[in-house]
Amino acid sequence: MIGRWLRGRRNRKVAQDLMSKLRAGSDAFRGATLTDIWRISRTKTILRIVSGGETRLALFFHRNDPAEVAENVFFAHENLSVHLADMPGMGVPRAVAVVPEAGCVVTEFIDAPDLQSLLTGGTAGEGVIRAARWLSALHGAFPGRPGTCDFGEIAQAVERDLVSRDLPSPIRQLREGFVARAAELDRHQTSFVKFHKDFAPRNVLIGADMTWAVDLTNTRWRMPEMDLAHFLLEASIDMGDTGTRGRWGLPPALLDQVQAGYGLEERDLEFIPPHLCALILRQWGQAAGTNSRTARHRAPLLKAMAEGFAFD
């Protein structure tokens, strides 16, 4: 209880310091007030603020060059808004301003539930299908470009996250299967797309007639399967212990819903399993290395996915 109180006090101090930077960096936000802390992490803090009588989200970046990241993210919002304009029911929050001096982007606040809360509450309906449809729109919005996916490099990253861990049998067996599959795939020549990087249910907002994605970036091109695998894993975690597992250790029907929304045929699924497998292994290794409440929740669910996983 004391630890939680201290963390809350520290987070409030961080939020107030960031608000001071925002006010100092732009006259437009000199009178902005903090409503609450929407999300806080090592690389980014998102605050809900009120400015000019309007509720906004202020995204503060802490990684690399915060000013450059903020400008890239602002451009990503504007650019994607244009590309999604002709796609009914899909959007991104409107970018209101960029304040490079504060490493901050201010966007509109969208009052809609995120898909994570709907999955956790068992009320997602067609939310997964709608999210997958949005992701398909993102991947198709820009011309693809040739790229190489180095599965050997991914395997090395997996090994780093698992080193010195006492591996339970499902994780050990999955690692062996992945290492063999990665050696077969080696350096795969493919087509890269503009990808989201953190396309997860927590970053998808579901309205009555609109679907929005948040937490955008503007810098990465990767295989579309990386976004798909990440979404499948995070949705599986959010759905919790479903009691039974379907293909690749996923909850029953989850893959079918993603296929339906994204428009995937069976032949399009070949490279989802190795990316999903790598994510399961890496995230289990990271969770096993900490004792946070989040890690204690995720580790057994990742292990359950490993138990049910099998390469086709």
Side-chain angles (χ1 to χ4, degrees):
M1 180 65 72
I2 293 176
R4 187 178 304 174
W5 179 81
L6 288 173
R7 284 194 299 274
R9 184 176 182 180
R10 183 171 61 247
N11 289 345
R12 287 192 294 274
K13 177 64 167 58
V14 168
Q16 292 294 349
D17 289 346
L18 292 173
M19 287 297 298
S20 295
K21 289 183 179 180
L22 176 62
R23 296 184 188 110
S26 172
D27 290 341
F29 298 102
R30 195 168 299 279
T33 57
L34 173 66
T35 301
D36 57 41
I37 300 172
W38 204 62
R39 191 178 297 172
I40 190 165
S41 71
R42 181 175 55 85
T43 60
K44 178 170 35 188
T45 298
I46 305 178
L47 306 179
R48 186 159 58 174
I49 67 173
V50 174
S51 176
E54 298 286 342
T55 301
R56 309 291 191 196
L57 286 184
L59 292 70
F60 296 89
F61 303 97
H62 314 311
R63 66 183 189 274
N64 304 326
D65 182 341
E68 182 180 358
V69 173
E71 289 173 338
N72 282 335
V73 169
F74 182 80
F75 175 77
H77 277 263
E78 289 197 318
N79 195 26
L80 197 52
S81 292
V82 172
H83 282 83
L84 294 180
D86 295 330
M87 300 180 186
M90 300 183 200
V92 295
R94 180 174 59 87
V96 175
V98 58
V99 186
E101 296 82 357
C104 178
V105 172
V106 179
T107 74
E108 68 174 323
F109 172 73
I110 295 174
D111 189 11
D114 60 67
L115 181 56
Q116 181 182 52
S117 64
L118 298 177
L119 286 171
T120 302
T123 58
E126 293 192 348
V128 169
I129 294 175
R130 290 172 59 178
R133 192 175 295 139
W134 191 98
L135 185 61
S136 178
L138 169 66
H139 290 169
F142 304 89
R145 58 175 62 174
T148 301
C149 184
D150 190 338
F151 282 94
E153 188 176 279
I154 295 174
Q156 291 175 10
V158 168
E159 291 300 306
R160 286 195 298 271
D161 285 328
L162 295 181
V163 69
S164 303
R165 302 275 184 251
D166 183 15
L167 305 182
S169 178
I171 298 296
R172 185 175 63 254
Q173 292 175 11
L174 187 60
R175 181 183 69 173
E176 293 170 356
F178 173 72
V179 169
R181 185 74 178 114
E184 293 173 2
L185 295 171
D186 194 21
R187 291 173 56 83
H188 176 65
Q189 306 295 317
T190 185
S191 178
F192 280 10
V193 299
K194 180 82 80 170
F195 92 136
H196 186 284
K197 188 182 177 183
D198 190 16
F199 193 75
R202 62 181 172 272
N203 288 327
V204 179
L205 305 178
I206 304 294
D209 302 305
M210 283 288 296
T211 304
W212 301 267
V214 300
D215 202 5
L216 306 176
T217 63
N218 186 50
T219 56
R220 301 296 183 94
W221 292 78
R222 293 290 187 272
M223 291 182 70
E225 290 87 350
M226 294 182 74
D227 266 341
L228 286 161
H230 182 67
F231 180 79
L232 286 166
L233 182 139
E234 293 300 326
S236 179
I237 295 292
D238 292 338
M239 293 171 72
D241 185 2
T242 58
T244 58
R245 294 280 164 178
R247 193 175 184 182
W248 306 331
L250 299 169
L254 177 59
L255 180 60
D256 291 342
Q257 291 175 323
V258 170
Q259 280 187 260
Y262 193 95
L264 293 167
E265 301 291 340
E266 182 66 27
R267 63 178 179 273
D268 301 320
L269 303 181
E270 179 182 2
F271 290 97
I272 293 178
H275 284 297
L276 178 60
C277 181
L279 285 171
I280 294 171
L281 292 169
R282 294 197 66 186
Q283 293 202 18
W284 183 90
Q286 293 161 11
T290 62
N291 192 36
S292 68
R293 182 171 57 181
T294 299
R296 290 195 300 270
H297 170 71
R298 292 177 69 90
L301 294 171
L302 291 163
K303 180 183 174 184
M305 290 182 68
E307 288 175 340
F309 192 100
F311 283 104
D312 296 334

